[in-house]
Structure formats: C-alpha cells, structure tokens
Amino acid sequence: MHKYELVCIIHPDLDEVAFNDSVEKIQGWIKELNGEVEKTDVWGRRRLAYPIKKQREGQYVLFTTSLPPTSVVGLEQNLRFLEPLMRHMITAVD
C-alpha cells in the first residue's frame, strides 16, 4: 500500500447534507478499492484562481489515504463521474 493525498474541489452551492454525501461517497470508493482513509480535512470554501464551470469559489477537501497502486486508476474513473466534483488531484506522498 502506498500513501496518497487526494484534493477535491466540490461545487460551492451544495447544502451541508449533499456536501457530506459527496465526501462519504468518495470515502466509500476508497474503501471499496481496498484502501483506507487515514484523515479527511475539510478546508471549507475558498476562492479559485480561475473560474471552473462558471464558479469562482469551491469547497476544498483533503483526503490522506493508503491505496494499492493499481487502485488509483479505478478511483480516478469513479471521481470523473461524480457530478458535484469540479476538480481533483491525486498525488503520491513519500
């Protein structure tokens, strides 16, 4: 298992319930892929450097995870189809 950080920018107009559902869905996908979520940091609403989908703000979430290297591709595929997710980035941690 390798350590990864996943940063997600979620649509700013979601209410708290829909936001929490999106976060839980991402955590569920990580667990389905034989990974484990070590830490979830909600950074809150922040201004974007440039507009994404006509939005100037987004809700940032950082997931610190352990995943098998082969599962990263599956996670990427799942994240692409999560509608409230505006951007994401997965990076390996040393």
Side-chain angles (χ1 to χ4, degrees):
M1 294 257 249
H2 293 233
K3 291 192 182 274
Y4 295 95
E5 286 184 343
L6 167 64
V7 178
C8 296
I9 304 174
I10 299 175
H11 201 281
D13 294 338
L14 292 181
D15 61 352
E16 188 174 343
V17 173
F19 174 77
N20 289 334
D21 285 345
S22 297
V23 170
E24 288 173 11
K25 189 176 282 191
I26 294 168
Q27 290 174 340
W29 286 333
I30 292 169
K31 291 174 185 169
E32 282 177 15
L33 295 167
N34 300 323
E36 102 181 31
V37 179
E38 296 171 4
K39 190 174 178 184
T40 303
D41 277 337
V42 178
W43 293 351
R45 260 177 112 108
R46 295 181 182 237
R47 187 163 174 80
L48 302 173
Y50 55 89
I52 301 172
K53 296 183 181 178
K54 298 182 182 179
Q55 299 295 318
R56 295 219 168 260
E57 290 184 334
Q59 298 183 64
Y60 283 72
V61 184
L62 170 69
F63 299 93
T64 305
T65 65
S66 293
L67 276 170
T70 56
S71 299
V72 175
V73 174
L75 181 60
E76 283 271 350
Q77 289 173 347
N78 287 336
L79 291 171
R80 274 191 215 124
F81 296 110
L82 185 61
E83 196 168 319
L85 187 65
M86 297 181 352
R87 286 282 192 280
H88 67 275
M89 182 172 69
I90 300 175
T91 54
V93 179
D94 293 334

